[in-house]
Amino acid sequence: QVQLVESGGGLVQAGGSLRLSCAASGIFFSIDVMGWYRQAPGKERELVAYITSSNSTKYADSMKGRFIISRDNAKNSVYLQMNSLKPEDTAVYYCYGEYSSILRIRYESWGQGTQVTVSP
């Protein structure tokens, strides 16, 4: 089982930047996809971005050009650099991972979430 632990959330003014980090730990064969979702109050959880083990990336349209996802396979970590933040980016951000167990069975794992608040 893989545990994901996020860090780096907080309060920032509009136009500012934050960098989220997520580290995976546990026993697994590989982590194939790592990414970020977010959930604002009263809204459904939505994809922010994900990155594969070969560094292919996908972003939600509203994040393109402002957010950058990256990963360090040696550290089993994924990062989200968020720039030009807007009040509508306020949400709980969840780290997400798709991994293969030692028996090559695929699983999903979620972090506990980290709050990002952008003030006007």
Side-chain angles (χ1 to χ4, degrees), residues 18-60:
L18 279 176
R19 186 174 187 252
L20 304 183
S21 301
C22 173
S25 63
I27 300 174
F28 50 87
F29 174 72
S30 65
I31 301 180
D32 306 309
V33 178
M34 297 190 80
W36 296 90
Y37 281 72
R38 71 183 186 184
Q39 188 167 20
K43 295 187 177 181
E44 293 187 353
R45 191 172 296 190
E46 62 174 350
L47 172 71
V48 175
Y50 68 74
I51 183 168
T52 69
S53 56
S54 58
N55 286 325
S56 295
T57 59
K58 178 178 174 63
Y59 295 89

Side-chain angles (χ1 to χ4, degrees), residues 29-117:
F29 174 72
S30 65
I31 301 180
D32 306 309
V33 178
M34 297 190 80
W36 296 90
Y37 281 72
R38 71 183 186 184
Q39 188 167 20
K43 295 187 177 181
E44 293 187 353
R45 191 172 296 190
E46 62 174 350
L47 172 71
V48 175
Y50 68 74
I51 183 168
T52 69
S53 56
S54 58
N55 286 325
S56 295
T57 59
K58 178 178 174 63
Y59 295 89
D61 288 343
S62 61
M63 287 68 156
K64 288 180 181 178
R66 298 191 300 125
F67 292 5
I68 301 171
I69 191 169
S70 60
R71 66 187 284 174
D72 185 335
N73 291 329
K75 295 182 178 180
N76 296 318
S77 294
V78 64
Y79 309 96
L80 185 68
Q81 178 67 42
M82 304 185 293
N83 302 317
S84 302
L85 283 162
K86 306 174 182 179
E88 51 264 42
D89 294 318
T90 295
V92 177
Y93 284 70
Y94 296 91
C95 182
Y96 166 80
E98 293 179 14
Y99 67 96
S100 296
S101 69
I102 298 299
L103 298 178
R104 309 300 193 267
I105 299 172
R106 290 181 65 86
Y107 294 94
E108 295 181 350
S109 184
W110 292 87
Q112 80 285 357
T114 185
Q115 177 70 46
V116 171
T117 303

